[in-house]
Amino acid sequence: QKEVEQDPGPLSVPEGAIVSLNCTYSNSAFQYFMWYRQYSRKGPELLMYTYSSGNKEDGRFTAQVDKSSKYISLFIRDSQPSDSATYLCAMSVGGATNKLIFGTGTLLAVQP
Amino acid sequence: DGGITQSPKYLFRKEGQNVTLSCEQNLNHDAMYWYRQDPGQGLRLIYYSQIVNDFQKGDIAEGYSVSREKKESFPLTVTSAQKNPTAFYLCASSPKTVVYGYTFGSGTRLTVV
């Protein structure tokens, strides 16, 4: 079993829809959770960062962490064609370690 | 502007040749990483280095080699021993403790012809 599981998609939605992207994990020691966005043939860029449980909002994006269920989500409101990309979740135990564990990524297509 | 620069963006190699991918960062990060990305397989760690003159194998190190002679630079050599080298290669860096994740370069697409 992988430490981090992510549905690869592809996920296709119409413009303006609310998108929900999810990851589950098995290591209860994870404390730091990130979402990266990767456009085709580009490097991933950090989109959202969350520490421990709770929600974090940034514009149209909301990151949610439920440590009791070992489940994290990224919500995109009013999705735009420019949101079409692969979204990767990543997590770390923090502390003295710098090892980041990535999900395989979900390919999102927002149709105009 | 601080960041990571990977070069070249596209690289073509004949079978049996070694090739070196460049990665330079000016973020003053201690740690650097090389990943390989294939469709449907996510990011796979090749090598990483947490300090100058030291590096460790990742999950798929066979057929690859690295060096870390300077803090800013972490070149990756794809050797002829790598059986399936055509892929998208990503370099990343981070501070010693990962709190805000890694910073990635823009990648190098290697094609064996």
Side-chain angles (χ1 to χ4, degrees):
Chain A
Q1 183 189 6
K2 291 182 181 179
E3 275 191 286
V4 179
E5 299 275 3
Q6 185 175 10
D7 187 335
L11 180 62
S12 182
V13 301
E15 183 176 353
I18 297 174
V19 176
S20 172
L21 303 166
N22 312 294
C23 287
T24 59
Y25 62 94
S26 56
N27 187 350
S28 58
F30 286 140
Q31 296 188 78
Y32 299 92
F33 304 91
M34 298 115 204
W35 285 95
Y36 284 84
R37 178 175 62 195
Q38 184 179 21
Y39 292 114
S40 181
R41 303 182 189 276
K42 302 286 186 185
E45 54 178 336
L46 184 66
L47 193 60
M48 297 285 285
Y49 149 82
T50 312
Y51 170 69
S52 195
S53 284
N55 291 2
K56 185 173 183 178
E57 191 172 317
D58 184 2
R60 296 184 295 110
F61 299 90
T62 299
Q64 197 171 75
V65 175
D66 182 349
K67 291 191 75 178
S68 61
S69 301
K70 298 192 183 73
Y71 189 88
I72 69 170
S73 300
L74 177 71
F75 297 97
I76 307 174
R77 290 183 298 280
D78 188 25
S79 56
Q80 304 294 310
S82 59
D83 295 327
S84 299
T86 296
Y87 290 81
L88 299 108
C89 63
M91 45 199 80
S92 167
V93 298
T97 182
N98 55 7
K99 191 174 182 183
L100 206 58
I101 309 299
F102 289 89
T104 52
T106 299
L107 178 62
L108 171 66
V110 181
Q111 307 297 334
Chain B
D1 280 339
I4 296 185
T5 302
Q6 285 187 246
S7 61
K9 193 173 178 66
Y10 299 97
L11 191 56
F12 295 88
R13 188 197 92 175
K14 290 185 179 179
E15 279 194 36
Q17 288 182 338
N18 292 353
V19 64
T20 297
L21 282 59
S22 171
C23 179
E24 303 274 336
Q25 55 101 357
N26 60 4
L27 299 166
N28 198 34
H29 283 168
D30 292 293
M32 297 187 74
Y33 315 82
W34 274 105
Y35 285 90
R36 170 179 172 142
Q37 190 174 37
D38 296 282
Q41 296 204 43
L43 296 172
R44 292 188 288 169
L45 183 63
I46 304 172
Y47 268 99
Y48 64 102
S49 168
Q50 296 178 298
I51 195 169
V52 174
N53 293 322
D54 188 44
F55 46 83
Q56 286 77 41
K57 291 182 179 180
D59 302 316
I60 56 163
E62 186 175 347
Y64 300 98
S65 66
V66 293
S67 63
R68 186 87 187 276
E69 296 176 2
K70 298 186 298 182
K71 188 175 184 178
E72 303 79 26
S73 179
F74 192 40
L76 173 75
T77 297
V78 183
T79 75
S80 56
Q82 169 50 234
K83 298 305 177 191
N84 188 20
T86 294
F88 188 54
Y89 291 88
L90 286 161
C91 180
S93 70
S94 77
K96 265 185 195 166
T97 302
V98 173
V99 173
Y100 301 106
Y102 298 168
T103 301
F104 283 88
S106 55
T108 293
R109 173 68 184 178
L110 172 65
T111 303
V112 174
V113 296

